Structure formats: C-alpha cells, structure tokens
Amino acid sequence: MKDFYKGKSALITGGSSGIGLAIATELASYGCVVTLLARDEVKLGSAKASIETKHPHAHVETLSSDICDSDSLFALLDQFYTNHDVPDLVVNSAGFSHPGEFVDQSLDLFRQQMEINYLGTVYVLKSLVPRMIAKKSGHIVNISSAVGFLNIYGYSAYGAAKFAVTGLTEALRMELKPHGINLHLAIPSDVKTPQLEYENQYKPEVTKAINKIGGLSDPEDVARDILDGVAKNKYLILPGADVKFLYRALQLLGKPFFFAYLDKIVSSTLKKLAK
C-alpha cells in the first residue's frame, strides 16, 4: 500500500482533526505530499506540527477556508491549483453533526449540517473535478456514515445530509469512471474523534441506547482501512467490523427487519424515561 501513495499528492478537507488528520498522518508516513484544508488556522497549525513531529521528512501544507463559503473556497483552490499540480487524491472528510429530535432541531442546524456535510463536498468537487477530468486520473474519497444508509432516531438532519453524500457519490462514480477518475464511498460508524465528543453532549437518550449496539473505532484504524480500500480501488469502503456486519446484515435481512428491531429499542427506552 505504501508504494501506491509514495510521491503522490492529496488534498484532505477537515484535515485538522479526527479522521481527516488520521488519514493525513498516515499518508505523510507513506511519502505522500499532503495539503490540509480546514477553517481554523490555529488547529491547522497544530495538525501540521503534529504530522511533522511524527514524520520529520513529511511535506505538509495547509489551506484555511470556510468550506461553506463557495466563493472564497473557489478563489483559494484556484490559487492553489495555479501553484500546484492537481492532487492525485482528494478526501472529503469535513463534517459536522448536532444530534437531537426533529422537533428540537432548529432550521439553522438543518442548514448547517447540510451545508458542511453535503454542499461542502459539492463545492470542493466542483472546483476539482474539471481539473481531474483534464488530467484523466485521480481518486476521490467521500466520507459518509452508517446513518447515511440506515438512519436512526436523533439524526434527522445529519443522516439526511450523509444520505445526500452517498447519493452524490453513486452518481459521480458512473459519470467520472469513463474519465479515469475513481470514486470511493467510505462509511464509518462511531469513531473516537472530537466531533463524537461534541455529539455525545446532545444525543437523546434513545439515540444513546441505539448507539450501544455498535462499536467504537480509533481514527487511525479507520484511516488505514480507507487508504487500503483506495489502493485496492474499492468503491465501497466499510472501516471496522461493526459497520461491515451491519451493512451485510442489512443487505441480507432488509430494512423492515432493522426497523422492527430499532423500534423496540425506542419503545423500551421511552418507557424507562417515562417512569
């Protein structure tokens, strides 16, 4: 796998923390030139320093932009492409989740989660894809979620945005394959990241009960699984045993089975809360 990435270049959104940073760190160890894109310049600086401390010969650059501000993002990326070759790999890892019951979720939270998770991915690819088509090569990794194929209580906003990422990736897989561009859809479940710590503050008790079914992955393990899947040119990448089991069981048993199972958890949890 290391030989596949050596000497290549990668652009990683959400690269200052979580899965994005783990992927960037792994790529840097393989000799890949890495560019981190995120909004917070302080976090970007810390991420760059972290990678270079672990891998002193790493080549790491940073770009600061609000991924939801398409005009500023396009201008920044246009300047980046002027000074650099089109990256061989782009990883759309920028994401945000604020769980809660639908009636309690503000419209602003719905907009924010759709803008960051879905439209942020669209904006990056709108800038990048025409250049990849001209180059006739490239790999694109879009990171969805387990709730991007089976949504659950408390994730009406986030899950819908990740369903959109899944749908976008399916269409682009067909459109870009004739141009030599490979699409990859990564579907992790819960991962030990600052984002998960944030989510845990707001999860309804029912959501916490459902989450107990699944496991918890380390970002480094998820990163390696994703990069291994890209190197093997897999379209669907399922990092971790729990999400692999869920996906395969869903294909075998169908959603009605899981709906009935999850409804029982919802019902029993609400009864306990009512006592």
Side-chain angles (χ1 to χ4, degrees):
M1 181 168 66
K2 292 183 179 181
D3 290 342
F4 179 82
Y5 293 104
K6 188 175 182 180
K8 289 187 170 64
S9 59
L11 172 67
I12 303 165
T13 75
S16 63
S17 65
I19 296 173
L21 177 55
I23 289 174
T25 304
E26 194 72 13
L27 284 172
S29 75
Y30 299 159
C32 181
V33 177
V34 174
T35 300
L36 311 177
L37 172 61
R39 182 174 58 179
D40 191 317
E41 292 187 16
V42 174
K43 288 183 179 179
L44 279 169
S46 296
K48 175 179 167 68
S50 171
I51 295 172
E52 292 176 339
T53 298
K54 294 175 182 176
H55 308 291
H57 299 293
H59 185 164
V60 183
E61 298 190 27
T62 63
L63 295 173
S64 175
S65 177
D66 182 348
I67 204 167
C68 300
D69 184 343
S70 58
D71 291 340
S72 295
L73 180 65
F74 290 159
L76 179 69
L77 290 177
D78 283 346
Q79 183 61 46
F80 175 75
Y81 299 136
T82 299
N83 299 322
H84 301 78
D85 289 335
V86 178
D88 302 294
L89 168 68
V90 61
V91 179
N92 285 301
S93 183
F96 171 70
S97 172
H98 185 113
E101 294 182 0
F102 178 82
V103 293
D104 297 325
Q105 294 267 282
S106 68
L107 288 177
D108 283 343
L109 278 173
F110 269 88
R111 291 190 188 100
Q112 187 179 18
Q113 290 175 84
M114 185 61 75
E115 286 175 351
I116 294 174
N117 295 293
Y118 174 63
L119 289 176
T121 298
V122 170
Y123 297 154
V124 170
L125 295 183
K126 272 292 189 181
S127 172
L128 177 73
V129 164
R131 293 173 168 88
M132 277 190 165
I133 289 175
K135 189 179 177 181
K136 297 181 180 179
S137 68
H139 291 265
I140 296 169
V141 178
N142 291 338
I143 298 183
S144 183
S145 166
V147 296
F149 69 83
L150 178 66
N151 208 358
I152 63 170
Y153 192 111
Y155 282 106
S156 56
Y158 177 69
K162 288 300 189 179
F163 261 92
V165 171
T166 298
L168 171 70
T169 311
E170 287 184 357
L172 290 182
R173 186 199 67 80
M174 285 184 273
E175 290 187 24
L176 300 184
K177 187 175 181 180
H179 298 284
I181 302 167
N182 301 285
L183 267 289
H184 311 274
L185 179 67
I187 302 181
S189 55
D190 281 345
V191 184
K192 297 175 187 175
T193 64
Q195 171 59 47
L196 183 63
E197 292 178 8
Y198 173 86
E199 283 179 54
N200 287 337
Q201 303 174 76
Y202 302 99
K203 284 180 181 176
E205 291 303 315
V206 173
T207 308
K208 292 178 182 178
I210 294 172
N211 284 160
K212 290 178 182 178
I213 302 170
L216 186 61
S217 301
D218 290 319
E220 294 77 15
D221 292 334
V222 171
R224 283 189 286 270
D225 281 352
I226 290 173
L227 294 176
D228 182 62
V230 172
K232 293 175 179 176
N233 204 23
K234 292 182 179 179
Y235 167 70
L236 182 64
I237 302 172
L238 302 168
D242 57 332
V243 76
K244 285 184 177 71
F245 174 81
L246 174 61
Y247 188 84
R248 289 165 183 166
L250 186 63
Q251 305 307 302
L252 179 65
L253 301 173
K255 283 193 175 182
F257 171 85
F258 281 91
F259 288 165
Y261 178 61
L262 294 171
D263 285 348
K264 287 182 180 179
I265 296 176
V266 173
S267 178
S268 62
T269 305
L270 290 176
K271 286 179 180 177
K272 290 177 183 177
L273 294 173
K275 289 182 180 179

mmCIF file of all heavy atoms in Angstrom, residues 235-275:
data_model
loop_
_atom_site.group_PDB
_atom_site.id
_atom_site.type_symbol
_atom_site.label_atom_id
_atom_site.label_comp_id
_atom_site.label_asym_id
_atom_site.label_seq_id
_atom_site.Cartn_x
_atom_site.Cartn_y
_atom_site.Cartn_z
ATOM 1 N N TYR A 235 -14.850 0.628 -4.409
ATOM 2 C CA TYR A 235 -15.809 1.736 -4.346
ATOM 3 C C TYR A 235 -16.343 1.888 -2.924
ATOM 4 O O TYR A 235 -16.253 2.960 -2.322
ATOM 5 C CB TYR A 235 -16.981 1.514 -5.310
ATOM 6 C CG TYR A 235 -18.114 2.474 -5.043
ATOM 7 C CD1 TYR A 235 -17.987 3.829 -5.337
ATOM 8 C CD2 TYR A 235 -19.302 2.037 -4.442
ATOM 9 C CE1 TYR A 235 -19.009 4.724 -5.053
ATOM 10 C CE2 TYR A 235 -20.319 2.924 -4.157
ATOM 11 C CZ TYR A 235 -20.172 4.270 -4.466
ATOM 12 O OH TYR A 235 -21.185 5.152 -4.171
ATOM 13 N N LEU A 236 -16.898 0.836 -2.366
ATOM 14 C CA LEU A 236 -17.476 0.885 -1.026
ATOM 15 C C LEU A 236 -16.435 0.427 -0.010
ATOM 16 O O LEU A 236 -15.931 -0.686 -0.069
ATOM 17 C CB LEU A 236 -18.702 -0.018 -0.945
ATOM 18 C CG LEU A 236 -19.440 -0.026 0.395
ATOM 19 C CD1 LEU A 236 -20.031 1.354 0.695
ATOM 20 C CD2 LEU A 236 -20.545 -1.080 0.393
ATOM 21 N N ILE A 237 -16.145 1.316 0.946
ATOM 22 C CA ILE A 237 -15.155 1.022 1.977
ATOM 23 C C ILE A 237 -15.857 1.075 3.330
ATOM 24 O O ILE A 237 -16.430 2.096 3.705
ATOM 25 C CB ILE A 237 -13.992 2.029 1.934
ATOM 26 C CG1 ILE A 237 -13.321 2.013 0.549
ATOM 27 C CG2 ILE A 237 -12.978 1.717 3.028
ATOM 28 C CD1 ILE A 237 -12.280 3.104 0.356
ATOM 29 N N LEU A 238 -15.820 -0.047 4.040
ATOM 30 C CA LEU A 238 -16.510 -0.173 5.327
ATOM 31 C C LEU A 238 -15.461 -0.378 6.416
ATOM 32 O O LEU A 238 -15.063 -1.507 6.703
ATOM 33 C CB LEU A 238 -17.484 -1.354 5.289
ATOM 34 C CG LEU A 238 -18.556 -1.303 4.192
ATOM 35 C CD1 LEU A 238 -19.264 -2.641 4.078
ATOM 36 C CD2 LEU A 238 -19.557 -0.182 4.480
ATOM 37 N N PRO A 239 -15.012 0.698 7.048
ATOM 38 C CA PRO A 239 -13.959 0.565 8.063
ATOM 39 C C PRO A 239 -14.514 0.036 9.385
ATOM 40 O O PRO A 239 -15.412 0.628 9.967
ATOM 41 C CB PRO A 239 -13.450 2.000 8.245
ATOM 42 C CG PRO A 239 -14.138 2.833 7.212
ATOM 43 C CD PRO A 239 -15.376 2.101 6.815
ATOM 44 N N GLY A 240 -13.986 -1.076 9.840
ATOM 45 C CA GLY A 240 -14.404 -1.628 11.121
ATOM 46 C C GLY A 240 -15.369 -2.786 10.976
ATOM 47 O O GLY A 240 -16.222 -2.808 10.083
ATOM 48 N N ALA A 241 -15.256 -3.745 11.891
ATOM 49 C CA ALA A 241 -16.064 -4.958 11.815
ATOM 50 C C ALA A 241 -17.542 -4.682 12.036
ATOM 51 O O ALA A 241 -18.403 -5.325 11.411
ATOM 52 C CB ALA A 241 -15.564 -5.974 12.844
ATOM 53 N N ASP A 242 -17.866 -3.711 12.897
ATOM 54 C CA ASP A 242 -19.273 -3.482 13.225
ATOM 55 C C ASP A 242 -20.058 -2.947 12.037
ATOM 56 O O ASP A 242 -21.176 -3.384 11.769
ATOM 57 C CB ASP A 242 -19.408 -2.539 14.429
ATOM 58 C CG ASP A 242 -18.730 -1.198 14.212
ATOM 59 O OD1 ASP A 242 -17.755 -1.149 13.436
ATOM 60 O OD2 ASP A 242 -19.159 -0.198 14.823
ATOM 61 N N VAL A 243 -19.467 -2.007 11.302
ATOM 62 C CA VAL A 243 -20.191 -1.448 10.160
ATOM 63 C C VAL A 243 -20.253 -2.448 9.003
ATOM 64 O O VAL A 243 -21.228 -2.484 8.249
ATOM 65 C CB VAL A 243 -19.572 -0.100 9.717
ATOM 66 C CG1 VAL A 243 -18.282 -0.297 8.943
ATOM 67 C CG2 VAL A 243 -20.564 0.711 8.892
ATOM 68 N N LYS A 244 -19.228 -3.297 8.879
ATOM 69 C CA LYS A 244 -19.277 -4.367 7.869
ATOM 70 C C LYS A 244 -20.435 -5.311 8.167
ATOM 71 O O LYS A 244 -21.197 -5.691 7.265
ATOM 72 C CB LYS A 244 -17.966 -5.150 7.851
ATOM 73 C CG LYS A 244 -16.788 -4.448 7.194
ATOM 74 C CD LYS A 244 -15.586 -5.374 7.147
ATOM 75 C CE LYS A 244 -14.407 -4.727 6.424
ATOM 76 N NZ LYS A 244 -13.806 -3.644 7.217
ATOM 77 N N PHE A 245 -20.556 -5.704 9.441
ATOM 78 C CA PHE A 245 -21.637 -6.609 9.838
ATOM 79 C C PHE A 245 -23.000 -5.966 9.590
ATOM 80 O O PHE A 245 -23.910 -6.606 9.045
ATOM 81 C CB PHE A 245 -21.493 -6.980 11.314
ATOM 82 C CG PHE A 245 -22.648 -7.785 11.840
ATOM 83 C CD1 PHE A 245 -22.717 -9.150 11.606
ATOM 84 C CD2 PHE A 245 -23.687 -7.182 12.546
ATOM 85 C CE1 PHE A 245 -23.784 -9.911 12.073
ATOM 86 C CE2 PHE A 245 -24.753 -7.928 13.015
ATOM 87 C CZ PHE A 245 -24.813 -9.283 12.785
ATOM 88 N N LEU A 246 -23.153 -4.700 9.990
ATOM 89 C CA LEU A 246 -24.425 -4.008 9.815
ATOM 90 C C LEU A 246 -24.808 -3.919 8.348
ATOM 91 O O LEU A 246 -25.953 -4.205 7.967
ATOM 92 C CB LEU A 246 -24.352 -2.606 10.425
ATOM 93 C CG LEU A 246 -25.575 -1.704 10.203
ATOM 94 C CD1 LEU A 246 -26.829 -2.318 10.813
ATOM 95 C CD2 LEU A 246 -25.321 -0.308 10.779
ATOM 96 N N TYR A 247 -23.849 -3.544 7.513
ATOM 97 C CA TYR A 247 -24.146 -3.376 6.086
ATOM 98 C C TYR A 247 -24.553 -4.704 5.446
ATOM 99 O O TYR A 247 -25.537 -4.761 4.697
ATOM 100 C CB TYR A 247 -22.930 -2.793 5.370
ATOM 101 C CG TYR A 247 -23.209 -2.419 3.927
ATOM 102 C CD1 TYR A 247 -23.768 -1.193 3.605
ATOM 103 C CD2 TYR A 247 -22.922 -3.313 2.885
ATOM 104 C CE1 TYR A 247 -24.034 -0.845 2.286
ATOM 105 C CE2 TYR A 247 -23.200 -2.986 1.574
ATOM 106 C CZ TYR A 247 -23.752 -1.747 1.279
ATOM 107 O OH TYR A 247 -24.029 -1.419 -0.024
ATOM 108 N N ARG A 248 -23.819 -5.758 5.765
ATOM 109 C CA ARG A 248 -24.119 -7.066 5.158
ATOM 110 C C ARG A 248 -25.430 -7.628 5.688
ATOM 111 O O ARG A 248 -26.208 -8.228 4.947
ATOM 112 C CB ARG A 248 -22.957 -8.027 5.402
ATOM 113 C CG ARG A 248 -21.722 -7.658 4.583
ATOM 114 C CD ARG A 248 -20.473 -8.354 5.051
ATOM 115 N NE ARG A 248 -19.309 -7.913 4.284
ATOM 116 C CZ ARG A 248 -18.042 -8.138 4.640
ATOM 117 N NH1 ARG A 248 -17.787 -8.809 5.760
ATOM 118 N NH2 ARG A 248 -17.044 -7.692 3.900
ATOM 119 N N ALA A 249 -25.687 -7.418 6.980
ATOM 120 C CA ALA A 249 -26.949 -7.885 7.555
ATOM 121 C C ALA A 249 -28.127 -7.134 6.955
ATOM 122 O O ALA A 249 -29.196 -7.711 6.715
ATOM 123 C CB ALA A 249 -26.924 -7.707 9.072
ATOM 124 N N LEU A 250 -27.908 -5.865 6.678
ATOM 125 C CA LEU A 250 -28.964 -5.060 6.065
ATOM 126 C C LEU A 250 -29.281 -5.563 4.662
ATOM 127 O O LEU A 250 -30.458 -5.632 4.265
ATOM 128 C CB LEU A 250 -28.545 -3.596 6.025
ATOM 129 C CG LEU A 250 -29.575 -2.582 5.550
ATOM 130 C CD1 LEU A 250 -30.778 -2.552 6.488
ATOM 131 C CD2 LEU A 250 -28.957 -1.187 5.449
ATOM 132 N N GLN A 251 -28.245 -5.932 3.926
ATOM 133 C CA GLN A 251 -28.469 -6.468 2.579
ATOM 134 C C GLN A 251 -29.211 -7.805 2.639
ATOM 135 O O GLN A 251 -30.053 -8.108 1.792
ATOM 136 C CB GLN A 251 -27.128 -6.661 1.850
ATOM 137 C CG GLN A 251 -26.250 -5.428 1.777
ATOM 138 C CD GLN A 251 -26.966 -4.218 1.219
ATOM 139 O OE1 GLN A 251 -27.480 -4.245 0.104
ATOM 140 N NE2 GLN A 251 -27.012 -3.134 1.987
ATOM 141 N N LEU A 252 -28.910 -8.591 3.653
ATOM 142 C CA LEU A 252 -29.495 -9.925 3.777
ATOM 143 C C LEU A 252 -30.916 -9.884 4.335
ATOM 144 O O LEU A 252 -31.826 -10.552 3.812
ATOM 145 C CB LEU A 252 -28.617 -10.796 4.672
ATOM 146 C CG LEU A 252 -29.096 -12.233 4.941
ATOM 147 C CD1 LEU A 252 -29.097 -13.037 3.644
ATOM 148 C CD2 LEU A 252 -28.201 -12.897 5.975
ATOM 149 N N LEU A 253 -31.125 -9.095 5.382
ATOM 150 C CA LEU A 253 -32.396 -9.109 6.109
ATOM 151 C C LEU A 253 -33.358 -8.005 5.687
ATOM 152 O O LEU A 253 -34.565 -8.130 5.900
ATOM 153 C CB LEU A 253 -32.125 -9.002 7.617
ATOM 154 C CG LEU A 253 -31.254 -10.115 8.212
ATOM 155 C CD1 LEU A 253 -30.917 -9.792 9.654
ATOM 156 C CD2 LEU A 253 -31.966 -11.462 8.110
ATOM 157 N N GLY A 254 -32.818 -6.933 5.116
ATOM 158 C CA GLY A 254 -33.670 -5.840 4.660
ATOM 159 C C GLY A 254 -33.973 -4.829 5.770
ATOM 160 O O GLY A 254 -33.863 -5.133 6.967
ATOM 161 N N LYS A 255 -34.372 -3.645 5.366
ATOM 162 C CA LYS A 255 -34.642 -2.583 6.337
ATOM 163 C C LYS A 255 -35.832 -2.883 7.251
ATOM 164 O O LYS A 255 -35.805 -2.499 8.421
ATOM 165 C CB LYS A 255 -34.834 -1.243 5.620
ATOM 166 C CG LYS A 255 -33.534 -0.619 5.163
ATOM 167 C CD LYS A 255 -33.700 0.835 4.756
ATOM 168 C CE LYS A 255 -32.349 1.452 4.419
ATOM 169 N NZ LYS A 255 -32.453 2.883 4.068
ATOM 170 N N PRO A 256 -36.904 -3.527 6.761
ATOM 171 C CA PRO A 256 -38.028 -3.794 7.677
ATOM 172 C C PRO A 256 -37.608 -4.540 8.939
ATOM 173 O O PRO A 256 -38.123 -4.268 10.027
ATOM 174 C CB PRO A 256 -38.986 -4.623 6.812
ATOM 175 C CG PRO A 256 -38.733 -4.143 5.422
ATOM 176 C CD PRO A 256 -37.248 -3.908 5.373
ATOM 177 N N PHE A 257 -36.671 -5.472 8.806
ATOM 178 C CA PHE A 257 -36.189 -6.206 9.980
ATOM 179 C C PHE A 257 -35.540 -5.249 10.971
ATOM 180 O O PHE A 257 -35.801 -5.296 12.183
ATOM 181 C CB PHE A 257 -35.182 -7.279 9.551
ATOM 182 C CG PHE A 257 -34.480 -7.944 10.709
ATOM 183 C CD1 PHE A 257 -35.056 -9.021 11.356
ATOM 184 C CD2 PHE A 257 -33.248 -7.474 11.153
ATOM 185 C CE1 PHE A 257 -34.416 -9.630 12.432
ATOM 186 C CE2 PHE A 257 -32.606 -8.075 12.225
ATOM 187 C CZ PHE A 257 -33.199 -9.152 12.868
ATOM 188 N N PHE A 258 -34.680 -4.367 10.456
ATOM 189 C CA PHE A 258 -33.986 -3.432 11.340
ATOM 190 C C PHE A 258 -34.930 -2.377 11.904
ATOM 191 O O PHE A 258 -34.768 -1.938 13.046
ATOM 192 C CB PHE A 258 -32.815 -2.777 10.604
ATOM 193 C CG PHE A 258 -31.611 -3.667 10.508
ATOM 194 C CD1 PHE A 258 -31.437 -4.501 9.418
ATOM 195 C CD2 PHE A 258 -30.670 -3.692 11.516
ATOM 196 C CE1 PHE A 258 -30.333 -5.331 9.335
ATOM 197 C CE2 PHE A 258 -29.564 -4.519 11.450
ATOM 198 C CZ PHE A 258 -29.399 -5.345 10.359
ATOM 199 N N PHE A 259 -35.908 -1.958 11.111
ATOM 200 C CA PHE A 259 -36.893 -1.007 11.634
ATOM 201 C C PHE A 259 -37.600 -1.596 12.852
ATOM 202 O O PHE A 259 -37.783 -0.923 13.875
ATOM 203 C CB PHE A 259 -37.922 -0.655 10.557
ATOM 204 C CG PHE A 259 -37.405 0.226 9.464
ATOM 205 C CD1 PHE A 259 -38.119 0.369 8.280
ATOM 206 C CD2 PHE A 259 -36.222 0.932 9.594
ATOM 207 C CE1 PHE A 259 -37.657 1.193 7.262
ATOM 208 C CE2 PHE A 259 -35.743 1.756 8.584
ATOM 209 C CZ PHE A 259 -36.467 1.880 7.412
ATOM 210 N N ALA A 260 -38.025 -2.853 12.750
ATOM 211 C CA ALA A 260 -38.724 -3.503 13.866
ATOM 212 C C ALA A 260 -37.813 -3.609 15.083
ATOM 213 O O ALA A 260 -38.240 -3.364 16.224
ATOM 214 C CB ALA A 260 -39.213 -4.886 13.440
ATOM 215 N N TYR A 261 -36.557 -3.964 14.860
ATOM 216 C CA TYR A 261 -35.592 -4.102 15.961
ATOM 217 C C TYR A 261 -35.337 -2.751 16.633
ATOM 218 O O TYR A 261 -35.366 -2.636 17.876
ATOM 219 C CB TYR A 261 -34.301 -4.688 15.412
ATOM 220 C CG TYR A 261 -33.198 -4.827 16.432
ATOM 221 C CD1 TYR A 261 -33.347 -5.634 17.545
ATOM 222 C CD2 TYR A 261 -31.996 -4.151 16.266
ATOM 223 C CE1 TYR A 261 -32.327 -5.761 18.487
ATOM 224 C CE2 TYR A 261 -30.972 -4.270 17.188
ATOM 225 C CZ TYR A 261 -31.141 -5.075 18.303
ATOM 226 O OH TYR A 261 -30.132 -5.194 19.225
ATOM 227 N N LEU A 262 -35.129 -1.727 15.824
ATOM 228 C CA LEU A 262 -34.856 -0.397 16.375
ATOM 229 C C LEU A 262 -36.086 0.188 17.058
ATOM 230 O O LEU A 262 -35.970 0.875 18.080
ATOM 231 C CB LEU A 262 -34.360 0.533 15.262
ATOM 232 C CG LEU A 262 -32.992 0.167 14.664
ATOM 233 C CD1 LEU A 262 -32.710 1.023 13.441
ATOM 234 C CD2 LEU A 262 -31.882 0.324 15.690
ATOM 235 N N ASP A 263 -37.250 -0.088 16.514
ATOM 236 C CA ASP A 263 -38.488 0.398 17.145
ATOM 237 C C ASP A 263 -38.643 -0.158 18.557
ATOM 238 O O ASP A 263 -39.156 0.526 19.458
ATOM 239 C CB ASP A 263 -39.707 0.028 16.295
ATOM 240 C CG ASP A 263 -39.844 0.892 15.054
ATOM 241 O OD1 ASP A 263 -39.127 1.915 14.971
ATOM 242 O OD2 ASP A 263 -40.652 0.541 14.173
ATOM 243 N N LYS A 264 -38.214 -1.397 18.764
ATOM 244 C CA LYS A 264 -38.289 -1.992 20.095
ATOM 245 C C LYS A 264 -37.372 -1.254 21.067
ATOM 246 O O LYS A 264 -37.730 -1.024 22.235
ATOM 247 C CB LYS A 264 -37.916 -3.472 20.034
ATOM 248 C CG LYS A 264 -38.973 -4.357 19.388
ATOM 249 C CD LYS A 264 -38.548 -5.822 19.402
ATOM 250 C CE LYS A 264 -39.618 -6.695 18.746
ATOM 251 N NZ LYS A 264 -39.203 -8.136 18.730
ATOM 252 N N ILE A 265 -36.193 -0.880 20.599
ATOM 253 C CA ILE A 265 -35.265 -0.134 21.454
ATOM 254 C C ILE A 265 -35.847 1.231 21.792
ATOM 255 O O ILE A 265 -35.793 1.687 22.943
ATOM 256 C CB ILE A 265 -33.891 0.021 20.763
ATOM 257 C CG1 ILE A 265 -33.242 -1.340 20.556
ATOM 258 C CG2 ILE A 265 -32.979 0.934 21.580
ATOM 259 C CD1 ILE A 265 -31.936 -1.288 19.789
ATOM 260 N N VAL A 266 -36.419 1.896 20.789
ATOM 261 C CA VAL A 266 -37.033 3.202 21.012
ATOM 262 C C VAL A 266 -38.153 3.088 22.040
ATOM 263 O O VAL A 266 -38.221 3.856 23.013
ATOM 264 C CB VAL A 266 -37.582 3.785 19.689
ATOM 265 C CG1 VAL A 266 -38.374 5.065 19.959
ATOM 266 C CG2 VAL A 266 -36.449 4.057 18.705
ATOM 267 N N SER A 267 -39.040 2.108 21.846
ATOM 268 C CA SER A 267 -40.188 1.940 22.731
ATOM 269 C C SER A 267 -39.764 1.655 24.166
ATOM 270 O O SER A 267 -40.259 2.272 25.122
ATOM 271 C CB SER A 267 -41.070 0.819 22.205
ATOM 272 O OG SER A 267 -42.173 0.602 23.067
ATOM 273 N N SER A 268 -38.817 0.720 24.337
ATOM 274 C CA SER A 268 -38.406 0.351 25.691
ATOM 275 C C SER A 268 -37.676 1.493 26.386
ATOM 276 O O SER A 268 -37.858 1.717 27.592
ATOM 277 C CB SER A 268 -37.512 -0.887 25.651
ATOM 278 O OG SER A 268 -36.314 -0.639 24.926
ATOM 279 N N THR A 269 -36.892 2.253 25.634
ATOM 280 C CA THR A 269 -36.159 3.378 26.216
ATOM 281 C C THR A 269 -37.113 4.485 26.646
ATOM 282 O O THR A 269 -36.984 5.057 27.740
ATOM 283 C CB THR A 269 -35.127 3.940 25.235
ATOM 284 O OG1 THR A 269 -34.246 2.879 24.794
ATOM 285 C CG2 THR A 269 -34.296 5.035 25.881
ATOM 286 N N LEU A 270 -38.091 4.779 25.803
ATOM 287 C CA LEU A 270 -39.063 5.824 26.149
ATOM 288 C C LEU A 270 -39.894 5.413 27.364
ATOM 289 O O LEU A 270 -40.242 6.270 28.208
ATOM 290 C CB LEU A 270 -39.984 6.105 24.956
ATOM 291 C CG LEU A 270 -39.311 6.807 23.753
ATOM 292 C CD1 LEU A 270 -40.302 6.937 22.609
ATOM 293 C CD2 LEU A 270 -38.746 8.177 24.145
ATOM 294 N N LYS A 271 -40.207 4.136 27.488
ATOM 295 C CA LYS A 271 -40.954 3.671 28.659
ATOM 296 C C LYS A 271 -40.147 3.853 29.936
ATOM 297 O O LYS A 271 -40.661 4.275 30.974
ATOM 298 C CB LYS A 271 -41.334 2.200 28.484
ATOM 299 C CG LYS A 271 -42.468 1.979 27.492
ATOM 300 C CD LYS A 271 -42.773 0.485 27.343
ATOM 301 C CE LYS A 271 -43.906 0.271 26.338
ATOM 302 N NZ LYS A 271 -44.174 -1.178 26.127
ATOM 303 N N LYS A 272 -38.851 3.546 29.867
ATOM 304 C CA LYS A 272 -37.977 3.728 31.023
ATOM 305 C C LYS A 272 -37.885 5.211 31.410
ATOM 306 O O LYS A 272 -37.896 5.553 32.602
ATOM 307 C CB LYS A 272 -36.592 3.185 30.720
ATOM 308 C CG LYS A 272 -36.509 1.667 30.621
ATOM 309 C CD LYS A 272 -35.105 1.236 30.251
ATOM 310 C CE LYS A 272 -35.018 -0.276 30.064
ATOM 311 N NZ LYS A 272 -33.662 -0.711 29.643
ATOM 312 N N LEU A 273 -37.799 6.073 30.425
ATOM 313 C CA LEU A 273 -37.702 7.508 30.698
ATOM 314 C C LEU A 273 -38.983 8.071 31.287
ATOM 315 O O LEU A 273 -38.968 9.053 32.029
ATOM 316 C CB LEU A 273 -37.344 8.258 29.410
ATOM 317 C CG LEU A 273 -35.957 7.988 28.819
ATOM 318 C CD1 LEU A 273 -35.821 8.658 27.458
ATOM 319 C CD2 LEU A 273 -34.875 8.488 29.766
ATOM 320 N N ALA A 274 -40.109 7.433 30.953
ATOM 321 C CA ALA A 274 -41.414 7.918 31.429
ATOM 322 C C ALA A 274 -41.689 7.551 32.876
ATOM 323 O O ALA A 274 -42.568 8.122 33.522
ATOM 324 C CB ALA A 274 -42.528 7.375 30.541
ATOM 325 N N LYS A 275 -40.941 6.595 33.411
ATOM 326 C CA LYS A 275 -41.190 6.142 34.797
ATOM 327 C C LYS A 275 -40.689 7.167 35.817
ATOM 328 O O LYS A 275 -39.732 7.884 35.583
ATOM 329 C CB LYS A 275 -40.461 4.801 35.027
ATOM 330 C CG LYS A 275 -41.102 3.646 34.266
ATOM 331 C CD LYS A 275 -40.374 2.360 34.558
ATOM 332 C CE LYS A 275 -40.995 1.192 33.819
ATOM 333 N NZ LYS A 275 -40.286 -0.084 34.078
#
